[in-house]
């Protein structure tokens, strides 16, 4: 069972939870999402059983690390609904989403997989991103700035593809924002 509310834990359990998150953030930042869970537990100075009590799967650990980013992304989508240009609002959201998707090497693929797997612990978070994007896509449809046949899933897949290609570009060129700009240039041209 995942520790859903760290504040409801005993003080020692909360400290372990926070140390595990800090070490996972560091390890995933250095080695990507395939970093050793055993090493994360060792560096957090807890046993692997403690890690698994808090985070029964790698996805549960990722979800806990990403929850704050995803919540911020949903809030940003709500604010962007007030932007003067619906397509520019959607593009701004897409850039932020692509940046969030590349915070750890390998995360792009995990998020793409989670979009299609309801049993994934990341699915609910990804579904929330899909709902946020959906409101922005619908607004762009209504304004005539995005073709009606472009679906929210297609936009998410394009953003994911932009993040993936940007992450693997030699020397960091082109930038993530440039790749997203090109995606939106193509969407507008339709």
């Amino acid at each position: 069972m995942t520790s859903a509310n760290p504040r409801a834990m005993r003080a020692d359990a909360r400290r372990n939870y926070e140390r595990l998150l800090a070490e996972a953030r560091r390890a995933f930042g250095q080695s990507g999402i395939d970093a050793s869970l055993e090493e994360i537990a060792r560096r957090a100075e807890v046993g692997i059983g403690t890690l698994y009590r808090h985070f029964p799967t790698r996805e549960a650990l990722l979800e806990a690390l990403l929850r704050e980013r995803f919540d911020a992304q949903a809030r940003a989508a709500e604010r962007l609904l007030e932007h003067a240009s619906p397509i520019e609002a959607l593009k701004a959201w897409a850039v932020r989403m692509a940046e969030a998707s590349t915070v750890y090497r390998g995360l792009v693929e995990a998020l793409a997989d989670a979009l299609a797997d309801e049993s994934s612990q990341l699915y609910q978070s990804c579904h929330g991103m899909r709902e946020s994007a959906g409101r922005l896509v619908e607004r762009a449809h209504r304004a005539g700035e995005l073709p009606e046949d472009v679906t929210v899933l297609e936009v998410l897949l394009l953003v994911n593809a932009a993040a993936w290609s940007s992450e693997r570009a030699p020397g960091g060129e082109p930038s993530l924002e440039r790749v997203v700009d090109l995606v939106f240039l193509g969407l507008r041209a339709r």
Side-chain angles (χ1 to χ4, degrees), residues 9 22 71 90:
M9 294 180 212
D71 290 347
L90 180 58

Side-chain angles (χ1 to χ4, degrees), residues 103-190:
V103 69
Y104 304 124
R105 191 174 58 252
L107 182 58
V108 172
E109 292 89 346
L111 294 175
D113 291 345
L115 271 172
D117 181 4
E118 291 184 32
S119 67
S120 164
Q121 291 182 290
L122 288 171
Y123 176 83
Q124 209 48 37
S125 295
C126 289
H127 189 68
M129 291 303 98
R130 190 175 184 164
E131 288 175 4
S132 296
R135 289 188 288 279
L136 292 167
V137 165
E138 191 55 41
R139 184 169 176 251
H141 284 158
R142 284 192 311 270
E145 294 182 3
L146 184 68
E148 285 289 326
D149 65 335
V150 175
T151 68
V152 66
L153 181 58
E154 289 169 331
V155 170
L156 287 172
L157 290 173
L158 287 169
V159 169
N160 205 26
W164 184 87
S165 63
S166 172
E167 187 176 69
R168 281 158 181 72
E173 291 294 329
S175 72
L176 180 57
E177 191 166 354
R178 172 72 176 148
V179 175
V180 172
D181 279 343
L182 291 170
V183 166
F184 276 81
L185 186 63
L187 287 171
R188 286 179 178 159
R190 295 188 65 234

Side-chain angles (χ1 to χ4, degrees), residues 11-138:
D12 62 329
R14 186 174 49 250
R15 277 191 303 276
N16 289 342
Y17 179 89
E18 295 300 331
R19 281 198 318 254
L20 284 164
L21 284 179
E23 288 304 327
R25 191 174 293 113
R26 185 198 57 73
F28 290 164
Q30 289 177 348
S31 304
I33 65 168
D34 292 327
S36 165
L37 296 181
E38 290 80 8
E39 182 66 14
I40 290 169
R42 188 187 67 71
R43 287 181 176 258
E45 299 176 348
V46 300
I48 191 69
T50 299
L51 182 143
Y52 283 122
R53 266 193 304 283
H54 288 291
F55 309 105
T57 65
R58 182 178 300 273
E59 279 188 344
L61 180 55
L62 271 172
E63 197 281 328
L65 283 173
L66 297 171
R67 186 177 311 130
E68 187 176 305
R69 285 179 191 273
F70 286 156
D71 290 347
Q73 191 66 11
R75 288 189 303 273
E78 292 304 314
R79 287 189 304 275
L80 286 167
L81 287 171
E82 303 301 319
H83 193 283
S85 168
I87 195 73
E88 288 300 318
L90 180 58
K91 186 171 84 171
W93 183 89
V95 168
R96 283 186 59 147
M97 188 63 218
E99 288 169 348
S101 298
T102 58
V103 69
Y104 304 124
R105 191 174 58 252
L107 182 58
V108 172
E109 292 89 346
L111 294 175
D113 291 345
L115 271 172
D117 181 4
E118 291 184 32
S119 67
S120 164
Q121 291 182 290
L122 288 171
Y123 176 83
Q124 209 48 37
S125 295
C126 289
H127 189 68
M129 291 303 98
R130 190 175 184 164
E131 288 175 4
S132 296
R135 289 188 288 279
L136 292 167
V137 165
E138 191 55 41

